[in-house]
Amino acid sequence: MRRYRAVLALVVVPSVLVAVVMLAMYAVVLPLFPALHHYYFPESTTTYAVYRVAIMGHILPATVALVLGPLNLWNVLRGRHSRAHRRIGGVYTVAVSLAGTFGLFMAFHAYPGTMPFGRLVMTSGMATLACLWLGTLGMAVHAAAVRHDVSRHAFWMIVNVSATYSAVVFRMVNGVIVAMNRFEQLYPLLGWLGWLPTVAVGTLLARRYAARLGRPAARAVVRIRQPEAVR
């Protein structure tokens, strides 16, 4: 129960909150009140106007993925409601595929800030995240659909959801640099700092979970083979 509450507080609730806020901001508030661009990230006003389809193609599916990803890792859902788990996973797969593809495109048009080589830092970080997001999703789908390897599928999905969760960390760090009054100078660093911590933690958790998931199977194989060795 304590572990569930911790996951709920640290992962699920922040993910849903960020998803709702970003959806409301980009799909409702800014379209209805475009003058607010002068107060909210005014440096990106031209970019939003030129690449609106790509931006919405990234943000809308990403909000869906941000809600469904942590939800689909819930043990009860996977164990007792496998059909719902597969269906949610299918929607999540489509959402990440769209968000990651549009995100890769937008990485080359992200705000570079004023720091030296800001364009290179920001674009390289966001492009790497998009490739990692799409790549780990592909590995997870291949493990489940082709190899029927539950442990491998779980590993890659946890890493993938940790990449999805970077949307939360990105905005937290962004808030810090805004509070420091260093937005223009430090914003490009978010290209890397916005996702490296979450993916690092997610990879560690994925390794632990996959190892724990694989131990019972390994012990079963040993018990099956022992009588043959005696003969």
Side-chain angles (χ1 to χ4, degrees):
M1 181 61 71
R2 289 182 179 178
R3 181 177 298 178
Y4 169 74
R5 289 177 179 174
V7 171
L8 188 68
L10 296 176
V11 180
V12 178
V13 172
S15 296
V16 173
L17 286 176
V18 169
V20 170
V21 170
M22 297 309 297
L23 184 62
M25 179 64 71
Y26 287 96
V28 179
V29 177
L30 290 178
L32 291 178
F33 307 100
L36 291 177
H37 269 298
H38 294 292
Y39 306 97
Y40 177 76
F41 207 177
E43 298 85 356
S44 64
T45 303
T46 302
T47 302
Y48 287 174
V50 175
Y51 301 107
R52 178 166 176 77
V53 173
I55 289 173
M56 297 309 295
H58 169 69
I59 291 175
L60 294 179
T63 57
V64 174
L66 193 56
V67 173
L68 297 185
L71 175 65
N72 220 27
L73 293 181
W74 188 24
N75 287 332
V76 174
L77 186 65
R78 294 199 316 272
R80 301 179 184 176
H81 307 283
S82 58
R83 181 176 297 180
H85 174 75
R86 288 193 296 270
R87 289 179 177 175
I88 293 174
V91 176
Y92 176 83
T93 298
V94 174
V96 171
S97 298
L98 291 172
T101 301
F102 282 111
L104 180 60
F105 172 79
M106 288 308 303
F108 295 90
H109 305 283
Y111 177 60
T114 58
M115 69 176 292
F117 305 104
R119 170 69 66 188
L120 176 63
V121 174
M122 188 65 177
T123 296
S124 62
M126 290 289 95
T128 302
L129 172 60
C131 293
L132 178 75
W133 205 15
L134 294 170
T136 54
L137 178 71
M139 296 294 289
V141 172
H142 181 267
V146 178
R147 302 187 61 167
H148 306 291
D149 189 331
V150 175
S151 178
R152 187 179 295 267
H153 172 71
F155 176 87
W156 288 116
M157 279 308 303
I158 293 173
V159 176
N160 184 266
V161 171
S162 72
T164 304
Y165 188 74
S166 65
V168 176
V169 175
F170 185 98
R171 279 151 186 87
M172 290 174 59
V173 180
N174 185 43
V176 172
I177 66 173
V178 169
M180 294 169 57
N181 197 28
R182 292 286 198 155
F183 177 78
E184 293 185 354
Q185 297 91 339
L186 300 181
Y187 183 78
L189 295 178
L190 292 179
W192 292 96
L193 296 181
W195 62 270
L196 275 176
T198 62
V199 172
V201 173
T203 302
L204 292 175
L205 294 175
R207 289 172 63 90
R208 290 180 57 185
Y209 181 82
R212 189 167 64 247
L213 193 65
R215 284 182 198 134
R219 286 196 294 266
V221 171
V222 171
R223 283 197 295 268
I224 291 172
R225 290 181 178 175
Q226 276 180 345
E228 296 179 359
V230 171
R231 292 175 189 172

